[in-house]
Amino acid sequence: MGRRSALRAMGFGGLVTVGGIGALATADAAPAEGLGVPPYAPTGVRPRYRRATWSQQFQSGHGWTAGGAGTASSNPADTAVFTRGTSSVRVTTAGSGVQSYVRKTGMNAMDLSGKMIRLIFRVSDAAHLSRIVFYLGSSGLKNAFSWRVHTHSGTGANYVQSGEWVTVHLQWADVAAASGTYTLSATGAPSVRTGFTDMSFAVYDDAAAPVTYHLQAVELVPDTESVFPKGVVSITFDDSHKSVHDLARPVMDPYGMPGTLYNIADVIGTGSFVTIGQMRSLQDSSGWEMAGHSYANATHTASYPKLTAQQVDADFAKLREWLVGNGFTSEHFAYPHGAFQKTTDGVPVDLLAARHFTTARSIISETIESFAPAMPYRLKALTGITDGTGIGGTALSKVIGAGGALDRCAGSGSWLILCLHKIVAGTPAASTEISQAGLRTLMAEIDKREIEVLTVQEAMAYYS
């Protein structure tokens, strides 16, 4: 019996309501006062917390060293800013764009087979953050794998935002490079997964000004390769386009592959958008998930960070009420344009999302998503997948080609969330379009690798 068949047998069908993973690892900011009780709050059912099998929490005497030419000052046990125990490591960079790090070498050899790395850290002011990289290796890091933890954007939504404690999971699917005797295969598989003695958390500022960061924990936690040996893909569609029903569904139905459709309530049944009847048919006959994207189309166009907290919260509330009132009980959401920064009056949009939904999906794809998600209100997704040329987006070849997203997902038991928009019969003309032929190729490549396809709702329900 396949994983999807097993989920159906256990009752995780199209109308199951599931919850998220507890508190957000964000700043101390709270949603604006006076918002009231949501008409349909999340159920609170949460996936099991993945407990560490090895943990360095940076309490006094931890033995790690802050250094690098890019380090101006540091405190190995800062008791002023921490989120566990009584201290964390504090480092201030030099504003030179050169590597600053917190590292330890010569530890007892570790086996990371069936493991992922969990990082908990904070950047006080991310305005001048350039990137964060994590190194795992041996022989004083002469042999090393590296992960690109975060690359900071000056315009888009960032997984790492100022003053927040952030949790990141690093999986084998995310290894960016190898050096020394370590190598990556053509499909992105690491040459070794054991014998590691060295770790380094490296931060680079933008060479215009220093940044201060705190490292709270580096941990090893079990991944899900034993449960999903070839990983999981969730195929999600934004914006309620009718082409999802007319062109995507006929391609996906023969494979028994369901999708998650993130809907704009305001447009349903108008123009080139799906009707309520089509939404119900997708859900009830093909096992799709009908999730939320916004209530008002004008809100979707503007994006939430351009509104007040009251306006955002009201849109969330109306959306949930509309979904439930029409028989769509998914508690999952995707941010319009992937934007979850603060509202115009300073309230983080993801904190408002948590009042109404179990998860909220972004379009950040620095690393592949994991079970359970490190931050369920910032689910990561690879977006703009297209088989067109010269129109931007993510080339389909980068998803299905050797060493691409599907190969890496299949080789690590991770959760790859794909974000698509409109399906076209002919040649795509925009980065938000993929041809029906291209989608058929994508489905065939997923099927060939025997990767399980689950809706976001099913994927979250499995570990609750």
Side-chain angles (χ1 to χ4, degrees), residues 23-28 57-58 78 80-84 87-90 119-124 159-168 213-217 350 374-375 378:
L24 290 165
T26 55
D28 292 332
Q57 299 190 29
F58 298 105
D78 185 347
V81 180
F82 58 89
T83 190
R84 281 191 186 179
S87 68
S88 66
V89 178
R90 191 273 301 164
L119 305 174
I120 301 175
F121 61 92
R122 179 183 188 271
V123 178
S124 297
Y159 196 84
V160 177
Q161 297 190 29
S162 298
E164 301 178 346
W165 285 106
V166 176
T167 303
V168 174
Y213 62 94
H214 288 80
L215 182 59
Q216 183 62 79
D350 51 351
M375 297 180 72
R378 297 182 188 181

Side-chain angles (χ1 to χ4, degrees), residues 284-296:
D284 300 339
S285 299
S286 295
W288 283 51
E289 175 186 7
M290 297 296 105
H293 199 31
S294 74
Y295 179 81

Side-chain angles (χ1 to χ4, degrees), residues 221-295:
V221 297
D223 63 20
T224 52
E225 199 167 6
S226 62
V227 181
F228 294 108
K230 296 184 178 179
V232 169
V233 169
S234 290
I235 305 164
T236 71
F237 299 86
D238 287 4
D239 300 344
S240 305
H241 293 294
K242 188 173 181 288
S243 62
V244 174
H245 175 274
D246 294 350
L247 299 178
R249 182 183 187 178
V251 170
M252 296 169 65
D253 273 353
Y255 290 102
M257 294 180 179
T260 294
L261 182 59
Y262 290 106
N263 293 282
I264 305 170
D266 211 12
V267 304
I268 301 304
T270 69
S272 60
F273 300 100
V274 292
T275 65
I276 287 180
Q278 289 168 338
M279 291 173 66
R280 288 175 179 157
S281 179
L282 283 164
Q283 173 184 268
D284 300 339
S285 299
S286 295
W288 283 51
E289 175 186 7
M290 297 296 105
H293 199 31
S294 74
Y295 179 81

